[in-house]
Amino acid sequence: MTGDHVGGNRGATRVSRLAGIDTLRGLAAAAVFVCHSAQYWSFLAIPHVLSRVMSWGAQGVDVFIVISGFCLMMPVVFSHGRLNTGQFYGRRAWRILPAYWVALAIASVLAVLPATWALVVAAPATFADVLIHVVGMQTWVPSTLGTINGSLWSVSLEIQLYIVFPLLILLWRRLGIWWLLVIALALAVVWGLLGGVDALSAYVGDPHALPARLIQFTMGMGCAVWVTRGRPPRARTSALAAALFGALAAAALTFHAFGAVQLVLWGACGASLVMLISVRGQSGHVVTQLEAFGARSYSFYLLHQPALLLFAPIVALIPGRWIAPLILGGLVCFAVTTLAAMVLFRYVELPSHRAGRRRFPNVTPRVSPTEAVES
């Protein structure tokens, strides 16, 4: 869900941003919102087929994970595999934690107040629930995932991905990107198989966990390596075809047992879109009004679930069959959530992001022209 500007050093060249990545991030956030609209407003009795189609929006998270791997890897590729681990951890903490903690505080209050908890959670949140979320460990304690704001599981996963990222860089430098992808895929397959063993804890095999999702993150890293090699414009058609195929194939498997195949297909779909947009974005052709929304999509994602649940009683009062309440309620809720996200972005996320860049400016050390040639 998050990511610094795509950039780094290639000799004296620096790429500060790829047009279109924020657009893709914004579309992914909107897709998750659509999915959760069908899920949390089930009282509308949306036709089964439409409800299933809307639920595909959950795969926006898969796209987020691919984008995250891509954005973090690009500067590292430009700096020839160099990463200052301490600087990296410091900047990542400033990037995601302040906005996360503010959104968590809001959701926690809603989850404990007598007037609101029944609208947003199944039972009042406990101190232990809040503490586990504060340190971002809810995916390691699956019983806490829905106790405050279920959507925050992906932030917990993101934190874990940041922790292992330096190790992934080391493996990439030693083995190459293809072996890194093979290792991540094998880990996802083994993790899924272990999940079927009753003797193991409920956590093993959980699709929210790091071992299951690492393959999508490494796909994003692979995209960064691929893009920096300067693929020709004709690759756009191949990337688009791969994205469409991956989406159709993954959608066909969405309602069956969770497995590594589904993860790979949705990850491949996201990776293809990232590569497609990257090729176009380098030429400056992708400029949409979704860019601004996409830049604020992290704040939007943090706030959207409580907003949908709080709006549910209001939506239920809108007259008519499911069409009018869904469209009207969805538009109003989306607009309100977007406004709230703008406030969170303006006063928390953006200042903390800038502070992190000031305090930790050397995540990827600069490479001199001589070093670049020698590499």
Side-chain angles (χ1 to χ4, degrees):
M1 288 152 303
T2 65
D4 280 332
H5 296 183
V6 178
N9 302 100
R10 181 184 282 173
T13 302
R14 183 172 181 83
V15 180
S16 63
R17 202 172 191 90
L18 276 177
I21 291 297
D22 279 339
T23 292
L24 184 58
R25 189 182 283 115
L27 290 172
V32 174
F33 180 90
V34 169
C35 166
H36 286 164
S37 297
Q39 180 180 348
Y40 301 140
W41 297 349
S42 58
F43 56 84
L44 293 178
I46 301 171
H48 183 61
V49 173
L50 178 59
S51 179
R52 285 167 65 98
V53 171
M54 293 174 67
S55 71
W56 292 343
Q59 271 58 57
V61 175
D62 301 70
V63 178
F64 282 141
I65 296 171
V66 173
I67 292 175
S68 181
F70 174 76
C71 290
L72 294 182
M73 187 63 173
M74 282 287 279
V76 176
V77 175
F78 285 136
S79 64
H80 299 273
R82 300 163 189 246
L83 180 71
N84 186 319
T85 303
Q87 293 270 317
F88 171 77
Y89 286 151
R91 185 183 291 191
R92 286 292 94 195
W94 276 91
R95 177 67 182 91
I96 70 166
L97 290 180
Y100 169 71
W101 282 334
V102 170
L104 176 61
I106 295 171
S108 297
V109 170
L110 294 174
V112 298
L113 284 179
T116 56
W117 74 258
L119 294 175
V120 296
V121 290
T126 66
F127 176 76
D129 294 330
V130 176
L131 181 60
I132 289 172
H133 279 74
V134 166
V135 296
M137 294 298 292
Q138 56 267 37
T139 57
W140 287 89
V141 188
S143 61
T144 67
L145 285 177
T147 57
I148 297 177
N149 179 346
S151 295
L152 298 183
W153 72 267
S154 58
V155 181
S156 175
L157 172 64
E158 191 87 0
I159 293 171
Q160 295 165 44
L161 289 169
Y162 294 163
I163 292 173
V164 302
F165 184 63
L167 174 61
L168 298 178
I169 295 300
L170 178 62
L171 291 174
W172 165 62
R173 294 186 63 177
R174 296 287 180 86
L175 304 176
I177 192 63
W178 287 110
W179 274 112
L180 182 60
L181 288 167
V182 169
I183 292 171
L185 176 59
L187 188 59
V189 171
V190 171
W191 188 256
L193 293 175
L194 288 177
V197 181
D198 294 335
L200 297 174
S201 70
Y203 174 70
V204 177
D206 192 316
H208 300 93
L210 171 65
R213 298 283 180 164
L214 188 62
I215 179 60
Q216 296 176 333
F217 186 78
T218 54
M219 282 182 171
M221 295 174 63
C223 288
V225 175
W226 185 90
V227 167
T228 56
R229 289 176 179 172
R231 297 296 181 180
R234 63 176 178 273
R236 300 173 189 172
T237 303
S238 299
L240 180 59
L244 292 175
F245 173 79
L248 292 173
L253 295 174
T254 296
F255 304 102
H256 297 281
F258 190 93
V261 173
Q262 183 181 332
L263 277 175
V264 169
L265 288 172
W266 281 116
C269 174
S272 299
L273 290 171
V274 166
M275 290 188 291
L276 175 67
I277 287 180
S278 297
V279 172
R280 294 179 63 84
Q282 287 177 328
S283 301
H285 293 312
V286 179
V287 180
T288 75
Q289 294 188 4
L290 267 175
E291 286 282 282
F293 173 73
R296 294 157 178 76
S297 60
Y298 179 51
S299 290
F300 180 90
Y301 182 87
L302 292 174
L303 299 173
H304 83 278
Q305 180 174 318
L308 282 167
L309 292 168
L310 291 175
F311 261 82
I314 300 174
V315 173
L317 297 176
I318 299 176
R321 298 184 60 187
W322 61 271
I323 299 178
L326 178 63
I327 295 177
L328 181 58
L331 289 175
V332 173
C333 185
F334 188 91
V336 171
T337 307
T338 300
L339 289 174
M342 290 174 63
V343 174
L344 181 61
F345 175 82
R346 172 65 179 83
Y347 295 104
V348 180
E349 183 184 351
L350 185 59
S352 67
H353 189 187
R354 289 172 174 170
R357 294 175 71 87
R358 288 195 304 270
R359 291 170 180 265
F360 303 97
N362 300 314
V363 172
T364 52
R366 288 186 177 275
V367 179
S368 67
T370 301
E371 291 176 305
V373 172
E374 292 177 349
S375 298

